[in-house]
Amino acid sequence: MKRSRTPHPDPAAFIKANLPISPVPSIPEICLHTAGPASGLWRLAGRREADPAPYWAYPWAGGAVLARHLLDRPEMVSGRRVLDLGAGSGLVAIAAAKAGAATVTAVDIDANAIAAIGINAAINGVTIAVVAADIIGTPPPEADVLVVGDLFYDPALAVRVTAFLRRCQASGIEVLIGDPERAYLPQGELRRIATHAVADFGAGTGRGAVQAGVFSLRQ
């Protein structure tokens, strides 16, 4: 007799029921649904190798440093069209909206992240357009500023992302990168704009803040 498969939960309902809302460490202006030990996140994220890792459910230093920087320097996005690539929880997109961006679009390949972005935008009182797609291989988007945090954790992905960001820069889009200098960050191609001490889920518990950077692409 075949076992009945556990039905896949509705992402929005699961997030609201199992991921509590809390202020982001280092960024108390923004609250997010964040996974904890008792969230049972595997029920939503899945356990198959092909299932996307649930990076969206935690705060990472690259997104945190960008969010902190945009809130401290709202003139960088005020009145401009912003696109958040690999948006995850929507943290950077929310910060851009709070900083006065004219429009904000959040892009991610994970349908669960897309659901989380919509919910997190609502609890922070901002409007964000969400797009579920891999746009790295497409022409540059209609945007004035492209922000990307924590996408340099895999060598193949880092190469693709860097090439896309170069195309965006060549088309006139300003590119801002947030990263705690992970292994595949192309530091030789970047110029550091700022450094902020922010919390990082990837650093493990009890390690305090890490020094993460905000970078632009060298011309």
Side-chain angles (χ1 to χ4, degrees), residues 2-69:
K2 289 184 178 181
R3 291 183 180 179
S4 59
R5 295 182 63 185
T6 303
H8 192 73
D10 173 72
F14 184 92
I15 291 167
K16 289 178 180 178
N18 295 281
L19 277 65
I21 299 170
S22 59
V24 178
S26 315
I27 314 166
E29 301 96 321
I30 296 176
C31 291
L32 299 176
H33 284 275
T34 303
S39 294
L41 191 60
W42 65 267
R43 288 181 285 147
L44 180 63
R47 286 177 164 169
R48 300 174 304 171
E49 188 174 336
D51 293 326
Y55 295 130
W56 57 268
Y58 307 96
W60 299 87
V65 72
L66 275 174
R68 181 70 272 153
H69 192 66

